[in-house]
Amino acid sequence: DGGITQSPKYLFRKEGQNVTLSCEQNLNHDAMYWYRQDPGQGLRLIYYSQIVNDFQKGDIAEGYSVSREKKESFPLTVTSAQKNPTAFYLCASRKTEQGSFRGYTFGSGTRLTVV
Amino acid sequence: DAKTTHPPSMDCAEGRAANLPCNHSTISGNEYVYWYRQIHSQGPQYIIHGLKNNETNEMASLIITEDRKSSTLILPHATLRDTAVYYCIVRVYNYGQNFVFGPGTRLSVLP
């Protein structure tokens, strides 16, 4: 079955360390997204990519970086510049071509705790 | 973008129908209504979408008013596993712009 995989599910890091969250999809989706969710809140867009080797900042990109070297992969790095990195991180993907259903498919998330 | 408003929380008895309302009074003619839900500590899951006709699938029914300014998601026989946050999103179907997931409606299905 096709899907989108995030790893690890739980991640602990010390303050000041960079950490990279993995997101892989085998759905042949063109677009991929990273969202952050804080307790009781909706999802906030960090970065997104519509095509390989291209990505755009979302609403809260500061302190984060991404790469899109392969269609299947969209890793997110949480840098030490992110002031409050503890959160639940969600990766999503979707088709972008005309006529296709453009709903999002989400991964199961990574809960990052910085101590 | 058409904005949506909905109650922050709702309760429903197990086995009864759960009716989740959403207002989207500024919706334009080519914007669809999408519903997603998020069970605790998981990623959001697609439920259903529609333009102006009522829609039904194995998960739920979507009732859109004739003027399209509001809609209702119906879970016909709610179970405890339907306890989740439900998101109503309005977006043009064939446009690549991103979805916006607001705080949603927290549905609690009670035994």
Side-chain angles (χ1 to χ4, degrees):
Chain A
D1 282 344
I4 183 165
T5 302
Q6 289 186 244
S7 61
K9 190 167 180 64
Y10 298 96
L11 191 55
F12 295 87
R13 278 295 182 269
K14 290 184 178 178
E15 195 171 343
Q17 289 182 336
N18 291 356
V19 60
T20 297
L21 281 59
S22 169
C23 179
E24 304 276 335
Q25 54 98 0
N26 60 2
L27 299 164
N28 199 33
H29 285 175
D30 299 299
M32 297 187 73
Y33 304 80
W34 275 105
Y35 288 89
R36 169 185 171 133
Q37 187 174 36
D38 293 287
Q41 304 295 314
L43 280 62
R44 291 188 290 168
L45 183 64
I46 304 173
Y47 267 100
Y48 64 101
S49 168
Q50 305 270 48
I51 195 169
V52 174
N53 291 323
D54 188 44
F55 48 83
Q56 286 78 41
K57 292 181 179 180
D59 301 319
I60 55 164
E62 186 175 350
Y64 300 97
S65 65
V66 294
S67 62
R68 187 87 187 277
E69 297 176 3
K70 298 187 299 182
K71 187 176 185 178
E72 303 80 17
S73 179
F74 191 43
L76 173 75
T77 297
V78 184
T79 74
S80 56
Q82 169 50 233
K83 293 186 179 7
N84 185 18
T86 294
F88 187 49
Y89 290 88
L90 286 159
C91 180
S93 69
R94 65 175 176 147
K95 283 185 177 293
T96 57
E97 67 224 30
Q98 286 272 353
S100 64
F101 172 62
R102 296 192 177 190
Y104 285 57
T105 300
F106 279 86
S108 56
T110 293
R111 190 166 298 279
L112 173 65
T113 302
V114 175
V115 297
Chain B
D1 297 344
K3 294 186 178 176
T4 62
T5 58
H6 38 70
S9 64
M10 294 180 63
D11 292 339
C12 175
E14 188 179 17
R16 304 296 293 269
N19 299 299
L20 290 87
C22 182
N23 288 318
H24 30 80
S25 58
T26 59
I27 192 170
S28 60
N30 60 350
E31 287 183 314
Y32 281 66
V33 180
Y34 294 82
W35 282 86
Y36 281 74
R37 75 178 182 184
Q38 185 179 21
I39 295 169
H40 183 63
S41 292
Q42 297 182 24
Q45 173 193 24
Y46 165 79
I47 302 173
I48 199 167
H49 73 284
L51 181 62
K52 54 183 178 181
N53 297 323
N54 297 340
E55 302 287 344
T56 295
N57 63 20
E58 65 278 4
M59 290 182 69
S61 294
L62 174 61
I63 308 298
I64 302 174
T65 57
E66 195 168 339
D67 63 8
R68 301 208 327 120
K69 293 185 177 182
S70 65
S71 60
T72 301
L73 179 74
I74 300 173
L75 309 178
H77 306 285
T79 70
L80 299 179
R81 287 177 293 182
D82 292 321
T83 292
V85 175
Y86 288 77
Y87 300 99
C88 169
I89 300 161
V90 173
R91 181 60 67 194
V92 176
Y93 184 81
N94 282 328
Y95 185 56
Q97 201 170 14
N98 304 321
F99 282 24
V100 176
F101 291 82
T105 294
R106 183 172 298 276
L107 175 68
S108 298
V109 180
L110 308 175

